[in-house]
Each structure stands twice: as C-alpha cells, then as structure tokens.
Amino acid sequence: MIDNPFVFYLFFIVVGFFTAMLGTIIGAGGGLIFVPLFMYWFPQWSPSMIVGTSLFAVMCNAISGSLAYIRQKKVFISAALIFSLATFPGAILGARMSAWFSGPEFMFAFGCFLACVSILIGFKNFRKGERQAESLTLDEVTYNKPLGIAISIVVGFISSIFGIGGGLIHVPALIYLMSFPTHLATATSQAILAVSTTVGVITHFLSNHIVFSIAVPASFGALFGAQAGAQIAKRLKAKVILALMSVCVFALAVRLIIGSGILF
C-alpha cells in the first residue's frame, strides 16, 4: 500500500486520530469507519482479520474516550457497568462466528445493518421539537434495567461479529428506548464499549485475527482522537450529533451494499 515504513505508520496514526474523533462524538467507537476502510485497503484480509483489527482500535478509542467523558461527569456509571457485563456472552459468540462470513456476504450484511440504523436515527432526529429527556441531568435519569440488559446482549454479539464496538445500537437504544439525554447516551456508550470490546479483542487475539502492524498505529492515533472528540462533543447540540451519526452511517451503508456486488 505504502512502501515507506515511516509514512505507512504515520498514515494510520492520522487515520486512527480522525476516525476516533468522529466515533467519540457520536458514541460509536469508530468501527463504522475502520471496518469499511480495512475492507477497501486490504481486500486480501479475511472478514475475521478485518473485524479483529478494527475492534482492537475501537477498544483503545473507547477507553480513551470514556476516560475523557468520566472527567466531564457525563457517564452513568451504574448503567455502564451493568450493560457492559451483559455484553460479554454476545461478544464471545460474535467473535467466534465472524469467521463464518465470506467477503461479499459480510459487506452486504454489514451495509444492510448500517442502513437500517441510519434510517431509524434520521427518522427520530428530524422530527420537530426537542426531546424532553435532553434537559435531564445525570441524577434525574432513570432506565429499564431488564430492557437495557437484553439490548446489551445483542450489542455484544453485533460488536464482535462486525467489529464496530456496538455503539451504533447502544446510542439509539439509550436515547429512544431508555430516554437518556443524547450527550449522556454517547458518553455512557463509550464507557460500555471500553469494557465490552476488551472481551471481543481477547477472543479475536486468541484466534490470531488481529493484524498488529495496522492495529497499533491506528490505535495510537485513536487514543488522542478520542480525547479531541470528547472535547468537541460537549460543544455540539444533540440534534447535530444525531444528524452527523445518521448521515455518516447511511453513506457507509450504501458504499458497502454496492461494493458487495450482491445486488448489482
């Protein structure tokens, strides 16, 4: 791809920085960008290698971003701990099942999944009026624990099988199903990712799915990009964050569905 080793590593540090910055702003961890980029740049990689390498960078992104959000006192600690533990079974199962997908099938399934998520977020976000929950403080938020645990089990599976970290599901679920304010949802999602992705990464590591020559420089950039993203997020309105998430996810979905060659 790039012959000069210095330029090669610098390139992936920069990619990791900007990917993590955007991922932290929308609470998705950056995997929604890492996965399609790795698909495009490294077509010789198996889906498991794409997922494992992406998830390693997402883990570093999530740990760095969650620490920044904790300092801002935006993380619902008790919810993050409960939901994180609930992701473990799905994360392990998803990591093992990721090897079942062929390249085109993986791209198509991932694209369809992203398209559904983007439409849901866009539909909810562009309705008139501000959500009442946006005015709630950390102490005022209540949530349905059984529902959150059930969603987290599914999130853990999706996180490991697609290498996206699960934030694309957790953030909308926290906002629309459990009435979290947007900024609190994105921050809590990052904290959940920090724990849940670690389980997926360990499983992928034991299966030798991680390409460390790419994962390490991308993760190094992600550590700093996540800090920048957390600072930018606190200056953005909730609707801006959700609109940004919806547009980015839909664009990637279309690209992956077309690139899979299954429909065309």
Side-chain angles (χ1 to χ4, degrees):
M1 181 180 174
I2 299 176
D3 294 331
N4 188 307
F6 175 78
V7 176
F8 178 87
Y9 290 120
L10 180 61
F11 174 78
F12 280 102
I13 289 173
V14 173
V15 169
F17 177 89
F18 285 104
T19 298
M21 183 175 69
L22 177 59
T24 301
I25 290 173
I26 62 178
L32 67 107
I33 300 176
F34 280 126
V35 170
L37 286 181
F38 292 160
M39 286 179 178
Y40 180 75
W41 286 331
F42 306 106
Q44 73 275 18
W45 284 9
S46 69
S48 296
M49 292 168 64
I50 292 171
V51 170
T53 305
S54 169
L55 206 61
F56 185 90
V58 170
M59 177 188 68
C60 295
N61 174 5
I63 291 173
S64 179
S66 62
L67 290 175
Y69 281 131
I70 288 172
R71 288 196 296 269
Q72 295 177 16
K73 297 182 178 180
K74 290 185 177 181
V75 177
F76 200 139
I77 300 295
S78 63
L81 290 174
I82 293 171
F83 296 163
S84 296
L85 292 175
T87 64
F88 285 10
I92 295 172
L93 180 62
R96 295 194 176 279
M97 288 184 62
S98 64
W100 294 7
F101 285 87
S102 69
E105 289 171 345
F106 178 79
M107 291 178 67
F108 182 76
F110 187 55
C112 289
F113 165 71
L114 291 182
C116 292
V117 172
S118 67
I119 292 171
L120 173 64
I121 297 170
F123 174 76
K124 293 283 189 178
N125 186 50
F126 292 112
R127 292 186 304 177
K128 293 183 179 179
E130 190 76 15
R131 294 172 60 246
Q132 186 176 0
E134 295 299 344
S135 61
L136 296 177
T137 65
L138 187 62
D139 295 331
E140 296 172 331
V141 174
T142 59
Y143 61 95
N144 185 323
K145 288 184 181 179
L147 176 61
I149 290 171
I151 292 171
S152 297
I153 293 173
V154 176
V155 166
F157 177 78
I158 291 173
S159 168
S160 282
I161 203 166
F162 286 142
I164 59 172
L168 289 173
I169 296 294
H170 252 147
V171 172
L174 290 173
I175 293 172
Y176 299 120
L177 298 181
M178 285 176 274
S179 300
F180 274 52
T182 299
H183 287 87
L184 184 58
T186 55
T188 302
S189 172
Q190 281 292 96
I192 295 169
L193 292 178
V195 179
S196 63
T197 53
T198 301
V199 178
V201 166
I202 291 172
T203 307
H204 279 290
F205 172 74
L206 295 176
S207 300
N208 198 30
H209 292 163
I210 301 173
V211 182
F212 285 101
S213 61
I214 304 297
V216 171
S219 299
F220 182 77
L223 292 174
F224 296 97
Q227 295 292 317
Q231 292 301 314
I232 294 171
K234 69 180 182 181
R235 295 177 173 84
L236 296 178
K237 293 183 178 180
K239 281 187 174 290
V240 174
I241 294 175
L242 291 173
L244 185 61
M245 172 183 264
S246 180
V247 172
C248 289
V249 172
F250 187 77
L252 288 171
V254 172
R255 173 69 181 85
L256 289 173
I257 291 172
I258 294 175
S260 71
I262 290 179
L263 294 181
F264 304 97

